[in-house]
Amino acid sequence: MNTIINWNVDSEIFWITNSFPVKYYGLFFACGLLLGFYIVKRIYIKEDMPVQDLDNLLVYIVFGTLLGARLGHCFFYEPDYFLKNPIEILLPIKKVGETYKFIGYAGLASHGGTIGVFIAILMYCKKFKVNMLWILDRIAIGVPVTAAFIRFGNFMNSEIYGKPTNGNWGVIFQKDDLIPRHPTQLYEAFSYLLIFTILFIIYKSKIAAKNNGILFGVFLTLLFLARFIIEFFKENQVDFENGMALNMGQILSIPFIIIGLIIIIWKSSTVRKNFA
């Protein structure tokens, strides 16, 4: 049975002005952040925590996500180019000839975003003197939903797609070629939604209630393990990855998986002591 999907959606929904488009990626990114925020907000309300504290935390997380993801892309994937064009690192522009053109933030790296969020939460906890592991656990529940929506945005943009399927199935991203490919954006998105479900189930259990940090450990392990596996089906994003046994996304995922496993082992020993 032929199950090939032809995909040729315009990444721009509409234009506010002649130079400022509203794109699906930005819309899905914003919706993902808001939905993730709503999930964590419901947790705050359920646990009788001040919601205004979460409003302050959201500001830190948004800036940490955007700044970390942008810097991560620039320095992990295209350091030579951006060191020569530093103005393009933080501004959504690109030099075309002798002028600059608004293009939006075309390069955002999830690993950089994760580091940015962690640093932002660390700064927040230090300033407001709150338990960092407690916050990381709650944020970890909402983040996979945000990450899933970002990948839906990548799918709408026909970017970060997979290798050819070598069969009579797959998605043809017509903006680039006519080859059926793995829709790896969707693989990631649905993996993240599954991880959200797992984390929420653990959150409702007694294990998470008595051990701050275990949710965060499971989050790091599962999310970056999924990313590591799916990268085998994904086209390399930059030329220098060609010929590498593991691509940059996989190499950057390994430390997060290790950290997650260490946290799980550390917290599992605490669980055994608490229930002994």
Side-chain angles (χ1 to χ4, degrees):
M1 183 175 64
N2 191 315
T3 54
I4 294 175
I5 298 173
N6 289 281
W7 191 253
N8 191 28
V9 174
D10 192 340
S11 61
E12 295 154 354
I13 307 173
F14 60 86
W15 291 71
I16 296 177
T17 67
N18 289 334
S19 59
F20 191 85
V22 174
K23 298 185 177 183
Y24 281 107
Y25 181 81
L27 178 63
F28 274 89
F29 199 116
C31 290
L33 280 173
L34 291 174
L35 186 55
F37 173 76
Y38 175 78
I39 291 169
V40 180
K41 181 179 179 180
R42 298 304 303 173
I43 293 173
Y44 265 60
I45 293 172
K46 176 180 177 296
E47 299 189 23
D48 293 323
M49 297 296 293
V51 176
Q52 59 268 27
D53 291 352
L54 184 59
D55 293 335
N56 294 328
L57 179 58
L58 177 64
V59 176
Y60 279 77
I61 289 176
V62 169
F63 278 100
T65 300
L66 293 175
L67 187 59
R70 183 59 180 164
L71 291 176
H73 172 81
C74 294
F75 295 117
F76 293 155
Y77 291 98
E78 299 182 82
D80 292 339
Y81 175 82
F82 284 103
L83 287 175
K84 294 176 182 177
N85 300 275
I87 192 173
E88 296 181 24
I89 294 177
L90 297 180
L91 296 180
I93 58 176
K94 186 175 183 65
K95 193 171 185 179
V96 180
E98 296 300 321
T99 61
Y100 284 96
K101 179 181 178 181
F102 177 88
I103 62 166
Y105 288 111
L108 297 173
S110 57
H111 296 89
T114 302
I115 295 172
V117 168
F118 183 79
I119 294 174
I121 293 175
L122 178 63
M123 293 171 61
Y124 172 86
C125 292
K126 185 175 181 180
K127 180 176 180 179
F128 293 97
K129 295 179 172 49
V130 293
N131 187 306
M132 185 172 181
L133 287 178
W134 185 91
I135 287 182
L136 286 173
D137 277 354
R138 275 67 190 170
I139 296 300
I141 298 173
V143 166
V145 176
T146 301
F149 270 73
I150 291 173
R151 286 297 180 245
F152 287 137
N154 292 136
F155 182 75
M156 298 300 291
N157 271 6
S158 298
E159 61 188 4
I160 316 181
Y161 47 66
K163 298 175 181 178
T165 58
N166 295 321
N168 60 350
W169 68 278
V171 176
I172 295 177
F173 296 96
Q174 294 182 0
K175 288 183 179 180
D176 290 341
D177 55 40
L178 298 177
I179 302 173
R181 296 179 176 277
H182 290 278
T184 47
Q185 315 98 319
L186 300 183
Y187 295 173
E188 285 192 59
F190 290 117
S191 294
Y192 297 158
L193 293 178
L194 175 61
I195 291 168
F196 159 73
T197 303
I198 294 170
L199 290 171
F200 191 76
I201 292 172
I202 297 174
Y203 168 72
K204 300 289 287 185
S205 71
K206 294 181 180 180
I207 295 175
K210 293 188 177 183
N211 294 276
N212 290 331
I214 198 162
L215 275 171
F216 182 60
V218 173
F219 158 78
L220 286 179
T221 303
L222 292 183
L223 189 136
F224 287 101
L225 181 60
R227 174 70 185 272
F228 184 91
I229 294 171
I230 293 171
E231 287 290 329
F232 284 113
F233 301 93
K234 191 184 295 184
E235 288 283 15
N236 292 330
Q237 295 186 51
V238 288
D239 290 340
F240 74 77
E241 292 179 307
N242 297 332
M244 295 171 60
L246 300 176
N247 65 26
M248 182 58 71
Q250 292 172 311
I251 292 171
L252 293 172
S253 294
I254 292 172
F256 290 104
I257 296 171
I258 293 173
I259 292 170
L261 289 172
I262 290 173
I263 294 173
I264 291 172
I265 293 170
W266 167 38
K267 286 299 175 178
S268 294
S269 63
T270 305
V271 170
R272 287 193 293 270
K273 289 179 183 178
N274 289 338
F275 286 89

